[in-house]
Amino acid sequence: MITVNKILINHFGVPERSKKLPDPLDLLIATILSQNTNDNNSYKAFRSLKNKYKSWDELLHEKRSVIEKIIRVAGLALQKSSAIKNLITELDKRGNISLNFIQKFNNEKAIEELTSFKGIGVKTASCVLLFALDRNVCPVDTHVHRTTNRIGIVSAKTPDKTFYALNKNFPDGIAHSFHTNLIRLGREICKPAKPNCGACPLAEICKYPNKNLDNTSTGKKRDFMLLDNVGT
Ligand code: SF4
């Protein structure tokens, strides 16, 4: 993993990160909005919510259907508005509409707490740990799952299994660059149907048996990363 991280940094650079960590609840809501859409649309939906409500407390008495309309640009608005509304309602029942309480937990317990909310899975919970708590945890989305399995770092059938295999002995201090650069690799080069191995900086060490070495185009770059912009 350390070698892969170094090669990716040489190729893509050290990913930018805002100096101020975002609020964990902001980050969790942004991550819910980011599911199955691109970062630009989920950022628009997140900004629309932040502009309309001064604090998340105001969502407690807001109709779910109103939230659905506000976040429509992010897609899956019914499911996402339900998950957000449920999260706020549950936090209120626990006494405070905030996620600051998870700061005191270790990584395992924090993931257990976050995934106890309906609609919050391991990927979403681990994004909160990395991006809002600055823990050395690598979330596994579809890109990280595909690339780490192709490279041969892990061998796991689902993103959640990849997450636990990857994070078992994760090297210190590299989670943010490793995660972010693997997403860029997956979006721009190691695409699902046809990886562009001819343009891949990892081609020499990658164990994927079906490499496509024909095409050397580097593809279209998409640098904007939602979860690095939640606190800005
Ligand atoms: S060599 Fe090909 S399969 Fe391996 S990581 Fe690079 S693009 Fe993906």
Side-chain angles (χ1 to χ4, degrees):
M1 278 189 262
I2 290 172
T3 304
V4 168
N5 187 53
K6 278 186 187 155
I7 293 172
L8 291 175
I9 284 177
N10 278 341
H11 189 78
F12 292 122
V14 176
E16 283 183 21
R17 186 168 201 188
S18 65
K19 289 189 180 72
K20 186 173 157 270
L21 290 175
D23 171 77
L25 184 52
D26 279 12
L27 202 286
L28 182 53
I29 290 174
T31 311
I32 292 169
L33 292 170
S34 74
Q35 287 159 9
N36 293 86
T37 189
N38 65 52
D39 284 4
N40 287 314
N41 285 344
S42 42
Y43 188 65
K44 276 185 205 158
F46 178 73
R47 291 304 342 157
S48 298
L49 279 180
K50 290 291 275 184
N51 291 338
K52 172 128 172 102
Y53 304 104
K54 284 193 198 70
S55 88
W56 298 123
D57 295 30
E58 292 177 27
L59 290 185
L60 190 60
H61 301 295
E62 183 62 282
K63 281 190 192 146
R64 188 210 53 74
S65 57
V66 174
I67 302 170
E68 181 183 350
K69 273 192 200 125
I70 295 169
I71 65 169
R72 185 157 286 153
V73 65
L76 300 176
L78 173 59
Q79 294 93 316
K80 291 177 183 179
S81 57
S82 300
I84 292 168
K85 183 77 187 169
N86 179 70
L87 173 65
I88 300 296
T89 307
E90 283 299 314
L91 285 172
D92 182 59
K93 278 186 201 159
R94 295 178 189 201
N96 194 4
I97 300 179
S98 160
L99 279 177
N100 289 337
F101 71 95
I102 59 166
Q103 309 260 13
K104 65 177 185 280
F105 295 136
N106 66 21
N107 294 344
E108 200 181 18
K109 177 72 177 156
I111 287 177
E112 190 186 316
E113 285 287 325
L114 290 168
T115 54
S116 71
F117 296 104
K118 202 173 160 196
I120 310 297
V122 171
K123 186 198 82 174
T124 302
S126 58
C127 283
V128 175
L129 266 64
L130 173 63
F131 290 96
L133 305 188
D134 199 20
R135 302 283 177 89
N136 191 48
V137 168
C138 180
V140 174
D141 71 346
T142 178
H143 298 296
V144 176
H145 172 59
R146 181 176 68 259
T147 53
T148 51
N149 276 275
R150 280 180 176 170
I151 296 162
I153 296 170
V154 294
S155 175
K157 292 231 176 329
T158 66
D160 283 0
K161 285 181 180 164
T162 293
F163 172 81
Y164 287 110
L166 197 61
N167 284 282
K168 210 169 173 184
N169 292 304
F170 200 78
D172 284 344
I174 69 165
H176 183 263
S177 58
F178 188 79
H179 167 82
T180 309
N181 279 337
L182 279 178
I183 289 177
R184 281 195 67 179
L185 181 79
R187 285 176 175 176
E188 297 170 19
I189 300 173
C190 192
K191 295 180 183 181
K194 203 173 179 193
N196 190 357
C197 306
C200 181
L202 297 170
E204 276 188 23
I205 61 165
C206 174
K207 297 190 173 65
Y208 188 53
N210 305 318
K211 287 200 189 83
N212 163 36
L213 294 161
D214 297 342
N215 189 342
T216 55
S217 151
T218 52
K220 195 172 163 222
K221 288 194 170 104
R222 286 194 289 166
D223 290 343
F224 179 75
M225 296 280 183
L226 167 73
L227 301 185
D228 283 314
N229 287 278
V230 170
T232 58

